[in-house]
Amino acid sequence: LHEAPEFEDGAGEGSATQARRQGLLALQQRAEIMAQTKLGPEGKVVIEQVILPSIHEQIEKGILAEFSTTQAFYRQAVLDLRHAGSTAAEAQGQAVEADSAVDVCQKTHQETIQLVETCEQDKQKRVDELLASCRHHEAVASLACEQRDNATIIHFADVCAPQHCDLRDSTSCFLDDYAASVQGLVADAAAHHRSYLQKASDCIEAESNATLICLEGQELVAQDVCSSSRHAAQMQSQRCSDQHEEASLAICEFGSKLQHSCNGLAAVKELQ
C-alpha cells in the first residue's frame, strides 16, 4: 500500500508554477539590468516605478496565490492519500481474515463429509453382516425343520404273536414274551415322540431367530442412520458458501480501496 509523503516546505508546487516563477525571476532580473545599463533616467523611472511594481502586484502575487492554492491542494491530497492507504490496509486485513475463515470452514466441511462417508461405510458393513447372518440362520432353520419333518413318521416293528396257544405246552401261553415286545415298541414310540417334539421346537426357534435377524437387516437397509451427519455436512457446506461470498466481497472491497489509494498517489505526484 502507498505511504503518503511527509509535508515539506515548498512541496506541492506544480511544474507549471515553478516555470512561471522562474520566468518571473528572469524577467525581474532582466528589467533590473536594463534599468541599470541601457535606459536613461526616465526609462529607469518607468521600470522602477511602473513596470517592476506592476510585475510584483499583478504577476508575482498571482503566482504566489496560485502556489498557496496548489500547496493547499497538495496537503489535502496527502491527507486523502494517507486516509485511503489506511482504509485500504484495513480492507486488506478484513479480506485476509475472511479468506482464512473460508479455509477453516472448508477444512471443517471436509471433516463433516468424512464423517458421513464413515457412517455410510459402517452402515453398509453392518448390513452385510446381518444379511450374511440372515442367510446362515435361514439355512440352519431349513435343516432343523427338515429334521423335524423326517421325524414325523414312526415305523413300528411287527410283533409276532401266536395264532393259538396250547396251555398244556405253556401255562402262560408266551404272554410274558409278547408283553415285553409290546412294551419295547411303546418305549421306542415314546422316545421317537420326544425326539420329534425337540426337533419341532428347534425348528420353531431357528425360524424365529432367522426371522428376527433378517428383519433387522431389512430395517437397517431402510433406515437413514446417517441423516444427522449428512444434515451437518449440508449446513457446513451452506456456511462455507456464505463465507466464500463474504470473502469475495471483502476482496473486491479491498481492490476498490487499493485503487482509490493508487488514484490518491497519482494525484499527489501530479501536484509535486
Side-chain angles (χ1 to χ4, degrees):
L1 297 178
H2 307 304
E3 294 184 0
E6 298 293 335
F7 294 130
E8 298 177 357
D9 293 338
E13 184 181 51
S15 59
T17 302
Q18 292 178 354
R20 292 175 64 181
R21 290 191 65 185
Q22 291 173 358
L24 174 61
L25 291 175
L27 181 60
Q28 288 177 330
Q29 292 173 359
R30 185 175 180 182
E32 291 173 355
I33 292 173
M34 290 175 63
Q36 294 174 4
T37 59
K38 297 181 180 181
L39 299 178
E42 293 181 356
K44 293 181 179 180
V45 171
V46 170
I47 290 175
E48 293 176 353
Q49 297 183 5
V50 178
I51 296 177
L52 290 179
S54 177
I55 291 174
H56 175 72
E57 290 294 331
Q58 298 180 15
I59 300 177
E60 184 177 5
K61 286 186 177 181
I63 292 175
L64 293 175
E66 182 179 349
F67 171 75
S68 178
T69 301
T70 303
Q71 184 75 358
F73 285 156
Y74 175 80
R75 291 180 178 274
Q76 185 60 48
V78 171
L79 291 176
D80 292 343
L81 175 59
R82 287 177 177 174
H83 177 70
S86 176
T87 303
E90 181 179 357
Q92 181 188 29
Q94 293 174 350
V96 171
E97 182 178 355
D99 192 59
S100 299
V102 171
D103 291 339
V104 173
C105 185
Q106 290 177 343
K107 181 179 179 181
T108 304
H109 184 218
Q110 290 300 320
E111 292 174 352
T112 59
I113 291 177
Q114 184 62 43
L115 290 176
V116 173
E117 293 176 352
T118 301
C119 178
E120 294 286 358
Q121 292 171 358
D122 291 344
K123 173 187 174 180
Q124 188 59 48
K125 180 180 179 181
R126 180 56 180 162
V127 167
D128 293 342
E129 291 175 350
L130 288 174
L131 293 181
S133 180
C134 170
R135 291 190 295 270
H136 170 71
H137 281 78
E138 284 179 336
V140 171
S142 177
L143 179 61
C145 293
E146 182 180 355
Q147 291 176 348
R148 176 206 61 186
D149 295 339
N150 293 334
T152 56
I153 304 299
I154 299 178
H155 298 281
F156 291 103
D158 293 334
V159 177
C160 295
Q163 297 293 323
H164 59 275
C165 177
D166 189 343
L167 294 176
R168 290 174 299 180
D169 297 331
S170 174
T171 55
S172 63
C173 210
F174 308 104
L175 291 179
D176 292 338
D177 295 337
Y178 182 72
S181 298
V182 171
Q183 290 176 357
L185 290 176
V186 172
D188 290 342
H192 193 99
H193 183 256
R194 289 192 299 271
S195 175
Y196 168 79
L197 292 178
Q198 181 61 49
K199 291 178 180 179
S201 176
D202 292 343
C203 171
I204 293 173
E205 183 179 0
E207 287 183 330
S208 177
N209 291 337
T211 299
L212 290 175
I213 292 177
C214 294
L215 182 61
E216 183 180 357
Q218 294 170 0
E219 290 177 348
L220 182 58
V221 170
Q223 290 176 357
D224 188 4
V225 296
C226 303
S227 59
S228 59
S229 56
R230 189 179 298 105
H231 177 70
Q234 292 172 348
M235 294 296 295
Q236 186 65 23
S237 176
Q238 182 60 47
R239 190 176 298 111
C240 292
S241 178
D242 294 341
Q243 290 187 357
H244 184 271
E245 182 177 355
E246 293 174 359
S248 298
L249 292 175
I251 292 173
C252 291
E253 181 68 14
F254 166 60
S256 176
K257 299 295 185 183
L258 182 60
Q259 184 60 51
H260 184 65
S261 177
C262 291
N263 294 339
L265 179 62
V268 169
K269 289 184 176 181
E270 184 178 353
L271 293 172
Q272 285 180 337

